Amino acid sequence: MAKNFSRDVANKLLDKLSHDDDFRSLFKSDPHAALAQVGHVTPEADRGIAGTDPVVCASRSLASKED
């Protein structure tokens, strides 16, 4: 079953991705670590599985900060 972000985590993630270059770099290199910084931890058993790991589709490409 898909894991959803809380509203708080989603807001923090979008804010950091749109304003924080260091966070964007971390998200590109280690998206699970970046998500942990904003309060979302993907259980080890769910990592790499489409539908349960938000990183599977979220980190494929990252829009510019402006977008």
Side-chain angles (χ1 to χ4, degrees):
M1 178 165 290
K3 307 297 185 215
N4 296 319
F5 295 132
S6 69
R7 182 174 296 193
D8 183 54
V9 167
N11 287 336
K12 287 178 185 175
L13 177 62
L14 292 174
D15 182 62
K16 290 255 201 204
L17 287 173
S18 63
H19 296 101
D20 186 331
D21 290 330
D22 291 333
F23 183 82
R24 287 176 62 83
S25 293
L26 177 61
F27 188 79
K28 289 177 186 177
S29 66
D30 188 349
H32 289 115
L35 288 173
Q37 280 190 9
V38 295
H40 177 83
V41 177
T42 303
E44 193 64 41
D46 293 340
R47 290 185 180 203
I49 301 171
T52 60
D53 187 349
V55 170
V56 171
C57 65
S59 63
R60 288 185 186 157
S61 65
L62 189 58
S64 69
K65 290 192 297 186
E66 296 76 22
D67 289 338

